[in-house]
Amino acid sequence: DVVGRLHEELFQACEAAMMRRSFLLSAAVLLFLTFSETALADVFDGPCRKYGVPKTLALAIAMQESGGNPWAVNVAGKSYQPASKADALSIVRRAQEKSYDIGLMQVNSQWLRRFHISPETAIEPRNNVLLGVWILASSIREHGMNWKAVGAYHSPTPARQQQYARLVARHLKKFYRTK
């Protein structure tokens, strides 16, 4: 099936990409994935099922995007890891008209403007994952179930898509290693 083929393709690609890894990063990924499977599992289950996106892929993207921090914010390329929703929203308010990414899936402000979604709504983990998985599913519909679709979640630029897909592949491989 398509999901099985994607998982196999992603795993094989990861095999080549992951020759070296640091203990600290591996421990952080393991902690995130353990937390995700317990505390965040239901947050990803519904949207992934609804849009036909592999949950492991959505989790790998969330790890790449936010490191599993539901309050993560990126403003014009500068990442912030605030400890609270209030702190995250304060950073977003200061961003004014700059481009920003918000939440677990780092949903870009252009999507929020396009669909008239407030940052307060978008940062809630359930809403953020639902929107992020919908964006990923749209990319998969456009490009097929492949690395281009994964890269297009992050950027329209081919070189940045390839780099991003490799980073997501690393997280995906670590996820499979912890199973």
Side-chain angles (χ1 to χ4, degrees), residues 6 10-11 13-14 17-18 29 33 54-65 105 136 146-147 149-154 160-176:
L6 175 65
L10 293 175
F11 186 78
C14 291
M18 285 298 298
V29 170
L33 292 171
K55 180 179 169 184
T56 52
L57 178 59
L59 286 167
I61 287 174
M63 186 61 192
Q64 177 58 37
E65 290 290 339
M105 299 294 285
L136 179 58
N146 56 42
W147 287 113
V150 171
Y153 177 86
H154 177 72
R160 292 185 73 200
Q161 289 173 356
Q162 291 173 357
Q163 178 184 16
Y164 181 79
R166 282 191 295 273
L167 294 170
V168 170
R170 288 180 183 165
H171 292 294
L172 197 60
K173 181 170 183 166
K174 288 175 185 177
F175 176 77
Y176 283 113

Side-chain angles (χ1 to χ4, degrees), residues 35 40 62 65-75 78-92 100-107 119-128:
F35 177 70
L40 294 179
E65 290 290 339
S66 66
N69 180 352
W71 319 128
V73 176
N74 184 301
V75 178
K78 182 171 182 188
S79 293
Y80 299 89
Q81 294 290 325
S84 71
K85 177 169 66 171
D87 290 345
L89 291 171
S90 176
I91 293 166
V92 167
Y100 64 86
D101 305 314
I102 189 169
L104 281 167
M105 299 294 285
Q106 291 291 277
V107 175
E120 292 80 8
T121 298
I123 200 164
E124 291 297 331
R126 288 187 187 281
N127 299 335
N128 192 271

Side-chain angles (χ1 to χ4, degrees), residues 97-137:
E97 294 301 311
K98 293 178 185 169
S99 176
Y100 64 86
D101 305 314
I102 189 169
L104 281 167
M105 299 294 285
Q106 291 291 277
V107 175
N108 187 269
S109 55
Q110 63 97 4
W111 290 105
L112 305 185
R113 286 191 292 275
R114 181 181 198 183
F115 295 112
H116 308 287
I117 301 170
S118 71
E120 292 80 8
T121 298
I123 200 164
E124 291 297 331
R126 288 187 187 281
N127 299 335
N128 192 271
V129 170
L130 181 65
L131 186 53
V133 170
W134 178 83
I135 293 166
L136 179 58

Side-chain angles (χ1 to χ4, degrees), residues 30-45 55 59 126 175 179:
L30 180 60
L31 178 62
F32 167 76
L33 292 171
T34 301
F35 177 70
S36 295
E37 288 191 327
T38 56
L40 294 179
D42 63 328
V43 174
F44 283 86
D45 283 339
K55 180 179 169 184
L59 286 167
R126 288 187 187 281
F175 176 77
K179 288 295 195 186

